[in-house]
Amino acid sequence: MSFSGLRVLSLESRRAREMETLIRKQGGDPFIAPSVRERALEEHRDAFSFARRLVAGEFDLVVCMTGTGLKFLAEVVADEYTETRLAAAFAAVTTVSRGPKPAAVLRAWGVPVGVTIPEPNTWREIVDVLSGRNERRLAVQEYGRPNPELTSALEGQGRQVSSFAIYRWDLPEDEGPLREAAKRIAGGACDVVLFTSSVQLEHLLRVAAGMALAEDVLRSLRGPMLTASIGPLMTEAMAEHGIVPDIVPEHPKMGALVKAAADQAALLLTGPIRRTGP
């Protein structure tokens, strides 16, 4: 199966070119509207505080949420801590990788990965996996924004949890493509919308609200336009807005999302039963 020429809209940012290629390979007509910018914090107090405490041996375990965050960390503290020194400090604690990307950075530094979180790699899997471990002094790398649910759940296990932020999610510097995406969705000028992160939906609606199109966008996303969610957390974020995804891949990966959407979209759009609302 393939998209068979369907108009496929994605809000992917960092992997925008890869997403466009995947959609084209599956026979879709892509429109990519980057919706997120990873903005390094101007104030690096968190990064230096974490690095100093890590080097001082104040943590038993570090939860690494993103590879990007680890790279930012190394860049930010480079004048005070060389990569070799930082890597040695990571190697002295148990490292937890939320998926393959943080693990790849750690291994490139020569740091063994103690625990890899299984799919779908959400904060709930982190809590479940750590429930059987004895480490009590934890550091958690934030990704884009704080995760109070994760912090609360880990503290509920009797742990001391310190969170540190390296970057924040923001709107893209060029909002033009995202505005165009809002227009296309509101006007029904696309057939399938792919979501890989909850912040994509948040930023889409934020921009749409500024254009007085938020209700039109939501109406289209609730049906008859097809929506595809990469996994559980994205699906939960969509549900908060009354959106029920038509397509969710078996594995929460970008390639799997595109493949599942290509396999199912044409049939869903032409089948006798179509969703028309939540």
Side-chain angles (χ1 to χ4, degrees):
M1 297 291 289
S2 75
F3 284 118
S4 302
L6 291 176
R7 300 163 296 177
V8 183
L9 189 149
S10 168
L11 302 168
E12 186 62 33
S13 299
R14 183 159 38 89
R15 301 174 67 187
R17 291 185 179 179
E18 183 181 349
M19 176 64 87
E20 181 175 8
T21 298
L22 288 170
I23 293 171
R24 289 193 188 281
K25 285 184 176 180
Q26 292 294 333
D29 178 14
F31 179 76
I32 312 298
S35 59
V36 183
R37 173 167 57 100
E38 293 170 339
R39 175 178 57 82
L41 297 178
E42 295 178 4
E43 171 58 64
H44 299 310
R45 182 166 43 198
D46 265 18
F48 279 101
S49 174
F50 164 74
R52 291 186 186 113
R53 295 180 66 189
L54 179 67
V55 169
E58 294 185 20
F59 302 119
D60 305 314
L61 181 149
V62 178
V63 181
C64 304
M65 303 295 278
T66 70
T68 297
L70 289 176
K71 291 176 181 177
F72 277 163
L73 172 67
E75 292 174 6
V76 166
V77 302
D79 288 343
E80 189 168 334
Y81 301 99
T82 64
E83 185 176 298
T84 299
R85 190 178 182 193
L86 193 64
F90 269 104
V93 303
T94 299
T95 54
V96 177
S97 175
R98 187 190 67 94
K101 293 179 181 177
V105 175
L106 290 170
R107 291 190 182 109
W109 291 349
V111 177
V113 179
V115 180
T116 300
I117 302 302
E119 293 183 355
N121 315 119
T122 74
W123 66 268
R124 293 185 178 88
E125 282 73 47
I126 296 174
V127 173
D128 288 345
V129 168
L130 295 187
S131 64
R133 300 190 63 90
N134 296 323
E135 293 91 348
R136 287 292 174 262
R137 301 175 301 166
L138 274 58
V140 178
Q141 171 211 341
E142 293 182 0
Y143 60 111
R145 58 187 170 198
N147 189 329
E149 294 91 351
L150 173 59
T151 300
S152 177
L154 292 175
E155 289 176 341
Q157 294 177 345
R159 306 177 194 276
Q160 301 173 18
V161 181
S162 301
S163 298
F164 64 99
I166 307 299
Y167 67 93
R168 285 284 182 254
W169 286 323
D170 206 346
L171 287 170
E173 292 184 358
D174 179 8
E175 295 181 18
L178 188 54
R179 291 175 178 275
E180 177 62 23
K183 291 178 184 177
R184 293 191 183 198
I185 293 171
C190 56
D191 303 301
V192 187
V193 182
L194 309 177
F195 289 103
T196 59
S197 170
S198 60
V199 72
Q200 294 175 356
L201 178 59
E202 177 185 317
H203 284 183
L204 171 68
L205 294 177
R206 181 173 161 187
V207 167
M211 302 166 66
L213 290 175
E215 288 305 315
D216 293 327
V217 166
L218 285 171
R219 190 176 300 112
S220 291
L221 293 176
R222 290 166 181 162
M225 187 175 294
L226 290 180
T227 57
S229 161
I230 197 166
L233 292 184
M234 185 68 244
T235 298
E236 288 180 13
M238 295 168 74
E240 292 177 3
H241 295 281
I243 305 166
V244 180
D246 299 279
I247 301 161
V248 182
E250 183 178 354
H251 300 288
K253 306 293 184 184
M254 197 169 78
L257 174 70
V258 175
K259 183 64 166 61
D263 287 346
Q264 300 176 45
L267 180 61
L268 287 170
L269 285 172
T270 59
I273 300 175
R274 281 289 297 118
R275 173 179 57 81
T276 57

